[in-house]
Amino acid sequence: MDKNIDQIIIGTNGVNWVTEDCGANLRALNSGKRIHELQYHPKQRSWALAAGWTSCQDFADDEPCEIYKELYITKDLGNSWQYLKSYVFDFSWGTTTYSASLPGNKNVESRIFITHDPDLKGHQKTRERWKQSVHLYYSDDFFKTQKNALDAGNSIVMTNHYMFVAKAISSEQVKIHVSRAEEGFLGFRLARMPKNYHITDHFTVMDTSEKSVFLYVSDDSVADPVGNLFISDGLGYRFTHSLENIIKGGGAVDFETVESLDGTFIANRYDINHGTKGGVDKPAGQLRAITEDDIAEEEIKENERSRMSNSGSMNKKQSQSSKDGRKRSNRSGEKLENFEQKIKTYITHNKGASWELIKAPKEDMRGKPIGCFIEDGCSLHLQMYTHNDQMYAPPYSQESAIGIVMAVGTIGDKLDFDRSARRGTFLSRDGGMNWSEVAKIPLIYEFGDHGGLLVAAPNVQSTTQIRYSWNEGKTWTKLKV
């Protein structure tokens, strides 16, 4: 833990804690308010935005109970809070580390974006549907005044270089609009995609390295949770199609970046060449008022997401940038045949220009031939987020550990989701080109010393041992703890 960086400890019931001295002292962050969302300023260390839902206890006995989301700001790391706005859906600082480094006066340090329905009263509704009455606003003076940035702008996804906004065109669909840091994140333009793919029911920003963007766009013509992957040009406006039928589960897309090698990504997809579509009818969703039980349930889910993140089972980039915008428990459209039986893992080494199946190791960790060849329909498949109730660790890499990737997976003609499937732990030293088996069980793992030290332990059973390697996983030593 860096002693010069403030640390937030997520508590329960909206009560959180902050330390400014590497944990020697803790104090409550809330100052009497229940905080459910917190966002630090990218440059000002003591500034933060926070949102919390009201409860019936906040109202006097003679006042009606109205549950809605409020937005606050602190400029002294939570010692005091200033109220900004009610009935807020999304919010974000309007500056990033990149925009702050640009010359000129486009960057405004105090700029804040919100999505807000100015006519909303009473209980705030959960956003199970997109709403054309919700608009994107911004303020440069902490909402003493505000300006409309985009009509029907419902959802915000802020990255270092770009800002993506879902503009509602109906209760079911949105169009994706983009603004750039060079313009102060104003001047929104419609994202240009082939075959009108900018009309969707939700999208997720996957990766924004080198100023190009990998964008997952849900395919709402299919009842199963799949979507299409697009990659942008250097301006972030024009997108080309990269991969279809990528799956999504557990709140995240089955997509991972190999951090140490430019242009290398891994994804799980429904293999369209081995399945067809059939019809299915599903009921539409409903708008309903949010309750205090909903807030408590969301806190439980947030704590679970935090636990998954700490255990290595959550894609941190996606957790920061994914904005589905509404609950999506019901999907209409065609059903993909044998959906869970046709999932395969693909890898690209050229930034999505082409994708290929992953070659299985020639032999297992004991030197026994595996006999799995791509030309025979057999390959290595890696566990990510879909059907991951056991919280298997997803593919993991570090920017400083060149070429090293570890992952949990299965070998065969598909990714086997069955709990009794033979899962092992695999390692690559060349960015995913070649793999070796390092364990017959699922492990959780971490790297140190630029990949010179690998540490692992079983993550689905109790253990008194860890294992480590000093030679990039060629040999392992067990250590009792």
Side-chain angles (χ1 to χ4, degrees):
M1 184 183 291
D2 189 335
K3 66 180 181 180
N4 294 317
I5 299 177
D6 305 321
Q7 303 290 328
I8 296 294
I9 299 174
I10 304 299
T12 58
N13 298 318
V15 178
N16 308 304
W17 307 86
V18 62
T19 176
E20 301 176 71
D21 51 16
C22 202
N25 294 282
L26 293 171
R27 62 176 174 80
L29 181 68
N30 303 62
S31 188
K33 300 298 297 183
R34 296 175 68 193
I35 294 175
H36 300 96
E37 299 172 63
L38 182 74
Q39 188 179 127
Y40 272 116
H41 192 280
K43 298 294 287 185
Q44 291 290 341
R45 174 180 172 181
S46 59
W47 289 17
L49 295 173
W53 291 88
T54 61
S55 67
C56 291
Q57 297 175 351
D58 297 332
F59 299 90
D61 293 339
D62 58 346
E63 294 180 318
C65 173
E66 296 179 345
I67 298 176
Y68 50 83
K69 187 195 285 189
E70 297 178 313
L71 182 65
Y72 290 82
I73 184 174
T74 179
K75 298 181 183 178
D76 53 17
L77 205 61
N79 282 305
S80 61
W81 293 90
Q82 174 188 341
Y83 166 83
L84 296 179
K85 205 76 175 176
S86 296
Y87 295 100
V88 171
F89 289 91
D90 278 359
F91 63 92
S92 175
W93 289 107
T95 181
T96 65
T97 53
Y98 173 72
S99 68
S101 69
L102 296 173
N105 59 358
K106 293 290 187 180
N107 182 70
V108 180
E109 187 176 63
S110 60
R111 180 162 294 169
I112 301 169
F113 286 97
I114 63 170
T115 58
H116 168 70
D117 185 342
D119 299 322
L120 191 59
K121 299 183 185 303
H123 286 319
Q124 186 170 341
K125 308 292 183 181
T126 59
R127 198 169 49 201
E128 294 175 333
R129 296 298 184 108
W130 300 108
K131 296 183 65 176
Q132 292 178 288
S133 60
V134 174
H135 309 296
L136 177 69
Y137 297 92
Y138 75 96
S139 174
D140 295 340
D141 56 10
F142 307 112
F143 287 94
K144 294 177 182 176
T145 61
Q146 68 180 29
K147 295 181 180 179
N148 187 311
L150 184 67
D151 283 335
N154 275 216
S155 182
I156 300 170
V157 179
M158 178 68 77
T159 73
N160 206 24
H161 298 89
Y162 308 105
M163 180 176 174
F164 295 84
V165 174
K167 178 182 171 70
I169 58 175
S170 71
S171 63
E172 291 288 343
Q173 294 180 318
V174 297
K175 288 185 177 181
I176 303 169
H177 286 248
V178 189
S179 62
R180 304 174 66 234
E182 288 81 359
E183 301 173 347
F185 297 108
L186 300 175
F188 286 90
R189 294 170 60 181
L190 181 66
R192 300 296 178 184
M193 294 184 179
K195 298 181 182 178
N196 211 28
Y197 276 120
H198 59 270
I199 299 178
T200 180
D201 62 352
H202 84 279
F203 64 93
T204 305
V205 177
M206 306 305 307
D207 184 85
T208 59
S209 58
E210 301 178 14
K211 292 192 69 175
S212 59
V213 179
F214 267 114
L215 192 68
Y216 168 92
V217 179
S218 173
D219 185 351
D220 59 356
S221 68
V222 177
D224 299 289
V226 299
N228 292 277
L229 188 68
F230 297 87
I231 186 169
S232 77
D233 60 7
L235 296 177
Y237 294 125
R238 292 179 174 85
F239 289 80
T240 56
H241 190 267
S242 178
L243 190 66
E244 66 178 349
N245 290 327
I246 294 183
I247 64 173
K248 182 173 183 177
V253 179
D254 273 26
F255 178 96
E256 279 290 344
T257 303
V258 176
E259 300 287 352
S260 61
L261 290 180
D262 290 343
T264 302
F265 304 89
I266 303 171
N268 287 332
R269 66 182 289 258
Y270 174 82
D271 198 326
I272 194 68
N273 294 322
H274 298 280
T276 57
K277 299 177 181 179
V280 67
D281 293 323
K282 290 202 173 185
Q286 299 287 333
L287 269 176
R288 63 178 178 81
I290 195 167
T291 67
E292 293 191 67
D293 289 339
D294 293 324
I295 297 171
E297 180 182 355
E298 183 60 30
E299 287 181 354
I300 293 171
K301 291 179 180 178
E302 185 61 36
N303 290 335
E304 181 68 11
R305 286 191 290 266
S306 177
R307 185 167 72 91
M308 289 184 69
S309 176
N310 292 335
S311 69
S313 299
M314 178 62 74
N315 183 317
K316 293 181 174 60
K317 287 189 176 181
Q318 286 188 51
S319 65
Q320 292 169 5
S321 62
S322 175
K323 298 282 186 178
D324 284 4
R326 63 171 183 146
K327 292 184 178 179
R328 306 184 61 259
S329 57
N330 300 296
R331 292 185 67 136
S332 60
E334 295 179 279
K335 185 78 172 174
L336 295 170
E337 181 181 330
N338 296 326
F339 175 68
E340 294 182 2
Q341 303 301 316
K342 302 297 182 183
I343 305 301
K344 298 187 177 185
T345 301
Y346 285 76
I347 190 168
T348 177
H349 300 283
N350 54 15
K351 210 166 189 177
S354 61
W355 295 79
E356 59 190 16
L357 293 166
I358 300 177
K359 292 187 297 183
K362 293 181 180 179
E363 56 187 32
D364 69 6
M365 61 182 293
R366 300 186 178 103
K368 181 180 178 181
I370 293 177
C372 175
F373 305 99
I374 289 179
E375 53 266 31
D376 297 330
C378 181
S379 57
L380 174 62
H381 308 282
L382 305 180
Q383 182 78 52
M384 296 193 200
Y385 309 106
T386 300
H387 295 301
N388 194 1
D389 296 338
Q390 295 294 302
M391 295 187 184
Y392 303 116
Y396 179 68
S397 60
Q398 279 186 2
E399 186 175 357
S400 60
I402 305 300
I404 298 178
V405 189
M406 291 188 71
V408 173
T410 62
I411 293 175
D413 62 351
K414 65 181 184 299
L415 176 58
D416 196 338
F417 293 121
D418 193 280
R419 182 167 290 193
S420 63
R422 292 183 178 179
R423 291 179 179 83
T425 301
F426 301 87
L427 181 143
S428 174
R429 303 178 186 90
D430 54 12
M433 295 288 292
N434 298 281
W435 295 79
S436 59
E437 185 186 57
V438 296
K440 294 286 186 182
I441 61 172
L443 301 177
I444 190 168
Y445 22 75
E446 186 56 86
F447 307 161
D449 191 27
H450 303 279
L453 173 64
L454 309 181
V455 181
N459 76 329
V460 294
Q461 62 191 54
S462 299
T463 184
T464 59
Q465 285 185 335
I466 63 170
R467 58 192 77 185
Y468 64 91
S469 172
W470 290 106
N471 55 10
E472 296 185 341
K474 295 176 183 177
T475 60
W476 293 81
T477 302
K478 292 186 178 180
L479 176 66
K480 190 172 183 178
V481 293

